[in-house]
Amino acid sequence: MGYAEFHRRSLEDRDAFWAEQAKLIDWETPPQQICDNSNPPFTRWFVGGRTNLCHNAVDRHLGARGEQPALIYVSSETNEERVYSYRELHSEVQRFAAVLKSQGVGKGDRVLIYMPMIAEAAFAMLACARIGAVHAVVFGGFASVSLASRIDDATPKVVVSADAGSRGGKVVPYKPLLDEALRLSNHKPGSVLLVDRKLAPMEMTAGRDHDYATLADRHQRTTVECEWLESTDISYTLYTSGTTGKPKGVQRDVGGYAVALTASMKHIFLGNAGETYFSTSDIGWVVGHSYIIYGPLLAGMATIMYEGLPTRPDAGVWWSLVEKYKVTSMFSAPTAVRVLKKQDPAFLKKYDLSSLRALFLAGEPLDEPTAKWIAESLGRPIIDNYWQTESGWPILTVANGVEKKASKFGSPGVPMYGYDVKLVHESTGEELKGPDQKGVVVIEGPTPPGFMQTVWRDDARYVNTYWSSIPGRQVYSTFDWGIRDQDGYYYILGRTDDVINVAGHRLGTREIEESISSHPNIAEVAVVGVADQLKGQVAVAFAVVKDTSGLTDEAAKLKLEGEVMKVVDEQLGAVARPARVRFVTVLPKTRSGKLLRRAIQAVCEGRDPGDLTTIEDPTALQQIKDLVATR
Ligand code: ATP
Ligand code: MG
């Protein structure tokens, strides 16, 4: 069957299509109803079915591949490397589950996981799934205030954490931040489990804090059976990246997620049981949930969990793992590739990468120079895929497991099965059916399995935020601009709030960024719209320069600024020319590597930059403040 037919069936023959996909996992009780969309937009999948994510990710494989690798833990920070077979993973997870139970955790209780990238974080997530507890993983890079607000939102019975993480060889203590967060939060969890890596001293609060290893010792050979859950029960909550504002708490189900991920491993990620998957993300993000932990394990693969930078001990570290563990599918983000692009490409040639079928990239637009560089350096297909925390798995990409299809540079691909993707006019809501028309990317319900159920504890916010922004239509808005070519490939043009209006011309900041990036000396750039009395708005660019050796004085900077403006003039026309191009050493980004354009814009307009809890490096915004102050 060709992909077009596969996709058509997924929408027109929805129940039959997903009933077939549902057979990819084990059910204790098979579903009675495949899709219940009687109360839109709250779609329920595999109603009446009972299953368990941990059973499908771990126990199910014990018979056929108990001794095969399941979790490959590698830390280039502490130089640890350990391979857990499915059988070992099974016993570690049961041990963790037993400890959670001993702390009173049961079905539906929340467990907040604030951990560095260590194997225990994976055990904790799977243990929650096993006993039906709802995990709420908070990215380890967050500090006390963000952590406290998430503790209050999740109201966990137990918090799982560690003494410290490590980044670039420097110990980053977690426990003091956790203590401060617990002091700030209104909700107080009953107990805190701490994994002691012996990296930093910990002050233990008696009665509340417990050393995980000590408790785990009491459960050496424990059996903790999987709790069979309703398909529509909650598996976890997770926050969006906070690129466009206050992060939203995404709530996900059990059965739909298990089916969606298992199917995606087969149709999209080309993963087979017994092979190795390597996602360079962090468990604190949705990619980490779906494609470090659950997806690969559901597929019976070995999954690499990596703690460390892509450049330490050198820029070949990832590729050495690909060679050593014969990685077949790898998943990373454009931001990481840009980091590697600044390093010596010889590191890519040093290793045997012949096992690799493809490198999947997601999280932000994949610009052509980055895509071409990595495709040429790797000599392997690069597969862009577009999705969101909300969707849990790709919305747009190419499903090479169904039909081999080439990617097009600049396009993440076509709508995935189960997704009825449309482009609509932002203010009239009219569907844009022709090619090359620019509109908002929306999804017509019912949403597919794996998609968020609702905003955690806030059904009204789910409806009001996502389903009410397009006039006259109840559709899910991605809040991204897109365009579709005549072959049905989509191109993401940026966020709907990243459009600027210069003297009546509507311009995507993303298009201007693409153009500026094509200047050979620009490594990275952010363009924002800034209020202007004359023109309404003007574009202002902040760029990171590759080779700064020539930029010694103002005159040199002005010269480069002029060159960059000329590139935009030539490619897009003078209307798109930024009013200013300023040079910085680093751009403000979220901790997941996304440009914080709204914060830059606010600073340029002299406004309060708003929620900055997810910013990676606050000095980046300071540089922009300083530049703006000097004009
Ligand atoms: P928030 O919703 O809190 O503002 P966020 O949207 O950055 O944060 P995520 O769910 O991590 O949170 O990111 C999803 C967004 O990332 C998409 O809506 C899109 O803007 C962008 N994105 C993801 N993958 C791609 C891709 N392959 N190409 C272009 N953009 C992408
Ligand atoms: Mg978003």
Side-chain angles (χ1 to χ4, degrees):
M1 192 192 308
Y3 181 72
E5 171 63 8
F6 192 76
H7 183 252
R8 194 195 58 73
R9 270 197 60 217
S10 75
L11 301 183
E12 288 172 13
D13 212 355
R14 181 172 281 115
D15 283 7
F17 178 91
W18 285 107
E20 210 170 283
Q21 304 302 318
K23 291 190 190 130
L24 294 170
I25 69 160
D26 280 358
W27 296 88
E28 187 254 355
T29 309
Q32 261 97 66
Q33 189 184 0
I34 300 300
C35 178
D36 169 14
N37 200 40
S38 57
N39 179 27
F42 302 97
T43 310
R44 292 163 10 111
W45 283 97
F46 309 118
V47 181
R50 283 156 68 86
T51 185
N52 182 288
L53 270 164
C54 184
H55 166 84
N56 280 287
V58 183
D59 302 43
R60 184 159 76 113
H61 306 302
L62 291 175
R65 55 192 83 260
E67 312 320 318
Q68 286 180 19
L71 183 71
I72 301 172
Y73 177 67
V74 179
S75 172
S76 60
E77 296 289 336
T78 57
N79 292 321
E80 269 167 276
E81 195 157 329
R82 172 139 189 222
V83 180
Y84 297 86
S85 67
Y86 270 98
R87 201 167 309 287
E88 286 166 324
L89 180 61
H90 184 236
S91 69
E92 292 286 359
V93 169
Q94 292 190 86
R95 195 148 44 228
F96 216 114
V99 172
L100 288 175
K101 280 189 143 182
S102 75
Q103 300 305 306
V105 177
K107 187 181 159 199
D109 290 333
R110 273 82 52 211
V111 173
L112 187 136
I113 300 175
Y114 176 64
M115 300 268 263
M117 286 286 282
I118 55 176
E120 285 82 357
F123 306 155
M125 289 168 75
L126 291 162
C128 287
R130 190 170 192 87
I131 62 175
V134 175
H135 60 66
V137 179
V138 176
F139 176 59
F142 285 125
S144 310
V145 175
S146 336
L147 181 55
S149 76
R150 284 154 173 77
I151 291 171
D152 280 333
D153 194 36
T155 57
K157 200 167 232 178
V158 168
V159 172
V160 184
S161 189
D163 57 336
S166 179
R167 200 176 150 79
K170 279 201 275 301
V171 170
V172 185
Y174 277 40
K175 181 67 169 43
L177 299 181
L178 175 61
D179 284 340
E180 176 62 8
L182 288 170
R183 199 184 61 75
L184 294 171
S185 66
N186 295 317
H187 173 81
K188 310 290 177 197
S191 71
V192 176
L193 302 175
L194 292 147
V195 176
D196 190 359
R197 308 175 74 188
K198 307 266 186 314
L199 293 177
M202 281 195 280
E203 235 172 74
M204 301 291 265
T205 299
R208 184 195 74 183
D209 297 352
H210 306 276
D211 175 50
Y212 171 70
T214 309
L215 297 188
D217 266 351
R218 297 185 197 148
H219 301 277
Q220 273 312 333
R221 260 180 294 279
T222 321
T223 307
V224 177
E225 297 296 341
C226 287
E227 181 94 28
W228 297 111
L229 303 169
E230 294 297 325
S231 174
T232 53
D233 278 341
I234 307 171
S235 61
Y236 69 76
T237 69
L238 177 67
Y239 286 90
T240 59
S241 294
T243 311
T244 55
K246 197 169 177 291
K248 300 164 278 270
V250 165
Q251 175 187 315
R252 194 130 23 236
D253 73 354
V254 174
Y257 191 54
V259 171
L261 291 186
T262 312
S264 75
M265 293 305 294
K266 179 171 173 205
H267 305 312
I268 301 171
F269 292 105
L270 317 175
N272 304 310
E275 297 176 343
T276 308
Y277 198 92
F278 179 19
S279 166
T280 67
S281 185
D282 187 284
I283 50 151
W285 310 123
V286 71
V287 177
H289 282 60
S290 293
Y291 298 111
I292 295 177
I293 307 296
Y294 291 112
L297 295 176
L298 285 165
M301 301 178 79
T303 183
I304 297 182
M305 188 172 176
Y306 174 75
E307 178 186 49
L309 302 177
T311 48
R312 238 179 67 101
D314 61 45
V317 59
W318 283 355
W319 315 113
S320 75
L321 293 175
V322 171
E323 177 183 282
K324 179 165 180 189
Y325 293 108
K326 302 207 168 36
V327 172
T328 49
S329 295
M330 184 166 166
F331 194 137
S332 193
T335 185
V337 175
R338 276 185 227 111
V339 168
L340 292 174
K341 198 172 150 205
K342 292 183 197 147
Q343 311 278 326
D344 187 350
F347 283 117
L348 272 151
K349 306 273 175 231
K350 235 175 102 179
Y351 299 96
D352 176 9
L353 308 178
S354 59
S355 59
L356 200 60
R357 281 194 198 110
L359 170 65
F360 298 87
L361 295 175
E364 44 174 337
L366 177 61
D367 57 287
E368 209 162 316
T370 304
K372 289 214 157 115
W373 177 82
I374 188 71
E376 278 159 26
S377 318
L378 270 186
R380 283 278 170 279
I382 304 302
I383 302 182
D384 188 0
N385 55 118
Y386 161 87
W387 46 298
Q388 309 182 307
T389 310
E390 291 87 342
S391 71
W393 61 285
I395 299 170
L396 300 171
T397 184
V398 285
N400 275 327
V402 180
E403 180 191 357
K404 213 151 172 50
K405 257 194 168 186
S407 299
K408 292 191 188 186
F409 272 123
S411 164
V414 300
M416 282 299 95
Y417 51 91
Y419 286 103
D420 192 3
V421 180
K422 290 186 169 145
L423 290 174
V424 298
H425 190 280
E426 61 166 329
S427 48
T428 66
E430 183 205 343
E431 186 182 346
L432 306 172
K433 294 189 171 159
D436 303 329
Q437 288 178 290
K438 190 158 129 187
V440 182
V441 179
V442 301
I443 299 166
E444 189 93 50
T447 47
F451 206 86
M452 72 189 288
Q453 293 180 294
T454 184
V455 171
W456 165 248
R457 281 189 172 144
D458 202 346
D459 285 350
R461 189 170 177 210
Y462 183 52
V463 176
N464 296 334
T465 304
Y466 295 101
W467 292 85
S468 312
S469 75
I470 305 295
R473 277 173 173 266
Q474 201 189 38
V475 288
Y476 171 90
S477 177
T478 62
F479 297 103
D480 288 311
W481 291 108
I483 196 164
R484 182 179 52 229
D485 70 12
Q486 59 206 18
D487 302 327
Y489 281 70
Y490 282 70
Y491 297 77
I492 300 295
L493 304 174
R495 314 267 183 158
T496 49
D497 51 3
D498 288 341
V499 164
I500 59 177
N501 195 327
V502 182
H505 301 278
R506 295 174 54 72
L507 303 165
T509 50
R510 168 96 202 105
E511 293 165 80
I512 306 176
E513 288 167 4
E514 281 263 2
S515 169
I516 294 177
S517 299
S518 69
H519 185 287
N521 200 21
I522 300 297
E524 212 174 0
V525 61
V527 171
V528 296
V530 177
D532 181 87
Q533 279 193 331
L534 218 57
K535 297 182 174 171
Q537 271 185 315
V538 291
V540 174
F542 293 90
V544 178
V545 173
K546 276 185 198 153
D547 175 10
T548 53
S549 57
L551 280 190
T552 42
D553 56 14
E554 275 316 303
K557 285 184 191 161
L558 278 172
K559 180 164 171 281
L560 183 58
E561 179 169 13
E563 278 176 34
V564 168
M565 287 179 173
K566 197 160 154 257
V567 169
V568 178
D569 276 7
E570 283 167 8
Q571 295 183 357
L572 302 177
V575 280
R577 180 201 303 157
R580 289 295 325 252
V581 182
R582 315 297 298 256
F583 302 107
V584 289
T585 57
V586 53
L587 288 167
K589 289 187 179 174
T590 63
R591 289 170 195 273
S592 54
K594 293 163 197 260
L595 280 175
L596 277 163
R597 293 190 190 79
R598 64 171 165 99
I600 303 176
Q601 184 188 42
V603 164
C604 289
E605 294 183 342
R607 288 181 287 113
D608 172 16
D611 186 298
L612 285 178
T613 48
T614 65
I615 195 166
E616 163 95 56
D617 176 1
T619 68
L621 203 57
Q622 192 56 45
Q623 280 194 31
I624 291 175
K625 276 189 191 150
D626 296 345
L627 279 174
V628 170
T630 61
R631 288 282 148 206

